[in-house]
Amino acid sequence: MSNAPPVESQKPVEIEKIVDAFDSSDEAKIVAICREAHPGDVEEAFERLDEPNREAILNFLPVELIAELGDYLPAADMEKRLQTLPEEDQAEVLDSMSDDELVDLLQEVDEEERRSDLIELLPEEKQVVSEELLQFEEETAGGRMTTAMAKIHEDETVGEVLQSLREKKEDTEILSRIYVVDGDDRLLGKVRLRDLAFSPEETRVLEVADRDLTAIEARADQEEAAQMVARYDLLALPVVDADGRLLGVITHDDAIDILEKETTEDMERIGGIGGERGDLAYLQTSVTGHVKRRFWWVLVLAFLALASGIIMFAYEDTLKAYFVLAIYLPMVIAAGGNTGGQSATMIIRAMSLGELGPQEFRRVIFKEMRIGMILGGLLGIFVALQIQFLLPDGVVDEGISVFRIAIVVGLSLLAQITTSTLFGAILPIGARAAKLDPAVV
Amino acid sequence: MSNAPPVESQKPVEIEKIVDAFDSSDEAKIVAICREAHPGDVEEAFERLDEPNREAILNFLPVELIAELGDYLPAADMEKRLQTLPEEDQAEVLDSMSDDELVDLLQEVDEEERRSDLIELLPEEKQVVSEELLQFEEETAGGRMTTAMAKIHEDETVGEVLQSLREKKEDTEILSRIYVVDGDDRLLGKVRLRDLAFSPEETRVLEVADRDLTAIEARADQEEAAQMVARYDLLALPVVDADGRLLGVITHDDAIDILEKETTEDMERIGGIGGERGDLAYLQTSVTGHVKRRFWWVLVLAFLALASGIIMFAYEDTLKAYFVLAIYLPMVIAAGGNTGGQSATMIIRAMSLGELGPQEFRRVIFKEMRIGMILGGLLGIFVALQIQFLLPDGVVDEGISVFRIAIVVGLSLLAQITTSTLFGAILPIGARAAKLDPAVV
């Protein structure tokens, strides 16, 4: 008989089915579907619930299901539910979580005392790991890494290593992250299980190791780590301290999470949405929460637009005399916003994808200037022609030169679009240069 | 002596160093750094070159380097370079590429004849695979999958499987994707190398297999496949035909590529950029290329803004009588664009993250309506108060009620923002319901 019994995996279940079960308020049905479905699917169904509903459902899920979903549900919800449990159940849930998710949950706890209490519920080994991981800022490689990996000493033989790994084999993730270190824990390379399995037992592990030292420092930004995983197609990226000592790994699935989160932030900034999204999905966020994140920019942009209004007002006499200009004013204003948005979008995305470095900034600005001039020139010519040849009779008072109006509107569009395109590019580049987040502006 | 010699990996090299080498035009230096650096870094440095420079560099890189970079460089560039090579070198490059990247390159070739010529250069086995993969649309799971996996029959024993895998062990990727199939090639489950390595030789593989049937149909959208990889934290997702027969896999690194590409598309649509980005990075795209993708929307939005202008013009008498309204017109116009953009961004991103299903659309629209009313109400009150109490003397002609102006502007903002917020949400939802890409609108 094999000592690895066949595993019946949790099946993917259509999210709609889980949501329907949630909506039914039938406790038995909900528990059953949460047990059957993959935790990833349950997580996604939870993303469609508002806070009272999430709380209600979590409150009647049995502890063993809470433990299983621990790595998947929002940390704040988990912490809330933990508070309702007796200590031994809290300990069970915490112990079942992977160390990186556990640390996310601990970071969610604001009260120092409550956090210590939670840590004390953990087995000693996990206490040490948690304390270590908590030292790193949340958004750094160290703050996102897991210590679930196998660290083996350079002098060990293939046989010795296989023997020790055999004991860990139920820990599914570890065996795809086997690293060789020296006596000081410094990273020397990585070993794949296949190289061990297919090599003579007496071989020293370093001989079959891939001396790949690709790693990231623990204090580096998590986005940099995720980009390295993407660029080098890694399963896991080792995280080291300043002396090259192996501390943990960033895994391929964490990299996807990080990239998704950073991309969401970029998009929200481009869309004029402020603040942090945090853990919560769109439907999980309350109306007040949404309003808070949007109102600030609406207000700022409204008062910026007031500037255009004041300029317009200052030219009262001109505008009243050449009232046909009023037709084209909204166009000039909108074209500025639109083209600035276009170039900002392009540059922010290119920076996030690592396509642009500081060396390229001059070229980018020069390029956007040319693009802006061409866009502005084209639209300017288009609209000038329209004014010159397609303006209905009676729109322009007698005695006013249509040709002059066409030239003025055309040139305004050229100037407005060139400037806006240029600024759309300069703002994110300037923010990056000033070491701010490029998408904040 | 081990039969797996230690591998000296290509090291990560700072992109800036590679770019500097490229800029130096020193052929020996460029070849040396391309040899030393990880292909992922070379790819990123290539993203900073325009077309003539890419062509120049590719043209003097030796064939063995072209072969090594084949999976990383833009397919169009690769195909151009191939045309300059003698047939045997073309064959070497093509044979070194992974099957999914090879198919991307073949899809890049427009001429039917040239494509057949390229396929004929391949070893027979790869010809068959390529022809098979070419049958799937480029943006489907089938079009993105690779056939680099191990397929084993349910009746084989652990010993037999290990023996046959031993021969493939140099193929680094395959051993993390071992699937068990029945006599008709139908997927029965997956096996991890560790389960084989640590099980008795005479065990039948099905006994140690994880009967996980998570898979995606070949004709499904690639984005769906990538989301499944992300949701279930998979290393590889099996791709099957309508009868459940195993055809290939989507890997974790492909999933990242797909998600990055889809996200870029979403962001570009939100930013008002049309068309397809294709393979090329920002700097790789010519000024004309950029203008082409932006001008269409600039033009459409400009003529939409013309509508506002025409409405303004129609109220010539009112506007001339209450000219103070001109101050607030740009604000009302801009607030519409900004709040519509906010809600469109939120909804498009939430849909891409799989946070919203058709069941939720009514709730979303109701939610955005409330958000819009609150945002519009708040800004309306703010601005009305500003008009009532902070308007400088002389701005409003005598005999005109400031209070009425405040009410009119406030209500306009409320109406404009509520409508825009609602439409910003309805447009992407409507597009999804009409089965269009939600980010196209």
Side-chain angles (χ1 to χ4, degrees), chain B residues 181-202:
Chain B
V181 294
D182 68 10
D184 289 328
D185 257 8
R186 270 193 294 264
L187 183 65
L188 295 177
K190 63 184 176 192
V191 175
R192 293 167 314 177
L193 187 58
R194 70 199 60 165
D195 295 327
L196 300 173
F198 297 145
S199 295
E201 297 230 324
E202 64 284 3

Side-chain angles (χ1 to χ4, degrees), chain A residues 104-347:
Chain A
D104 279 353
L105 187 149
L106 292 172
Q107 276 161 336
E108 197 64 34
V109 182
D110 289 328
E111 269 174 82
E112 198 58 54
E113 206 181 323
R114 165 84 179 136
R115 194 192 288 176
S116 317
D117 288 350
L118 284 177
I119 293 176
E120 266 169 39
L121 291 172
L122 293 167
E124 200 172 334
E125 197 191 342
K126 283 209 165 177
Q127 286 190 22
V128 178
V129 170
S130 304
E131 299 277 14
E132 266 173 31
L133 290 178
L134 274 171
Q135 286 167 19
F136 297 100
E137 296 285 334
E138 214 173 331
E139 310 258 293
T140 62
R144 280 305 292 256
M145 72 189 177
T146 168
T147 58
M149 61 187 173
K151 213 193 267 185
I152 58 183
H153 190 272
E154 55 175 323
D155 286 333
E156 289 184 76
T157 66
V158 166
E160 287 163 359
V161 172
L162 278 177
Q163 187 52 45
S164 71
L165 291 179
R166 204 178 296 262
E167 290 151 23
K168 289 190 189 167
K169 98 182 150 48
E170 281 315 309
D171 201 330
T172 50
E173 291 182 308
I174 287 181
L175 294 193
S176 47
R177 309 163 194 156
I178 314 172
Y179 298 96
V180 186
V181 294
D182 69 10
D184 288 330
D185 257 6
R186 271 193 293 264
L187 182 65
L188 295 177
K190 63 183 176 193
V191 176
R192 293 168 313 178
L193 186 58
R194 69 198 62 162
D195 295 326
L196 300 172
F198 296 145
S199 296
E201 297 229 324
E202 64 283 4
T203 318
R204 280 180 57 217
V205 284
L206 205 55
E207 278 181 50
V208 296
D210 177 350
R211 304 278 187 104
D212 178 7
L213 299 180
T214 307
I216 190 159
E217 246 208 76
R219 287 165 308 180
D221 195 273
Q222 60 174 357
E223 192 175 6
E224 200 185 317
Q227 278 173 351
M228 282 177 77
V229 173
R231 190 175 332 134
Y232 305 132
D233 296 343
L234 299 174
L235 279 180
L237 171 68
V239 180
V240 295
D241 68 10
D243 298 319
R245 275 189 290 263
L246 182 63
L247 301 174
V249 289
I250 300 279
T251 63
H252 65 101
D253 44 313
D254 284 339
I256 290 186
D257 290 346
I258 295 169
L259 290 173
E260 279 196 338
K261 211 182 153 197
E262 298 279 349
T263 311
T264 303
E265 277 181 19
D266 279 4
M267 284 177 80
E268 291 183 346
R269 296 300 189 274
I270 291 174
I273 293 146
E276 291 284 330
R277 179 181 247 239
D279 251 0
L280 298 178
Y282 172 84
L283 284 170
Q284 288 178 331
T285 311
S286 66
V287 168
T288 329
H290 281 289
V291 168
K292 272 188 195 152
R293 298 193 56 205
R294 301 191 201 176
F295 186 62
W296 174 240
W297 269 113
V298 171
L299 190 69
V300 169
L301 294 171
F303 280 88
L304 278 178
L306 201 55
S308 308
I310 290 169
I311 293 172
M312 220 164 118
F313 188 75
Y315 288 92
E316 178 165 1
D317 295 337
T318 317
L319 201 59
K320 278 181 176 169
Y322 305 90
F323 198 72
V324 63
L325 288 176
I327 299 184
Y328 295 95
L329 263 166
M331 182 195 279
V332 176
I333 295 170
N338 295 330
T339 51
Q342 284 179 332
S343 60
T345 301
M346 279 308 221
I347 303 308

Side-chain angles (χ1 to χ4, degrees), chain B residues 252-268:
Chain B
H252 64 101
D253 44 313
D254 284 339
I256 290 186
D257 290 346
I258 294 169
L259 291 173
E260 279 197 338
K261 210 181 154 201
E262 298 279 349
T263 312
T264 303
E265 277 181 19
D266 279 3
M267 283 177 79
E268 291 183 345

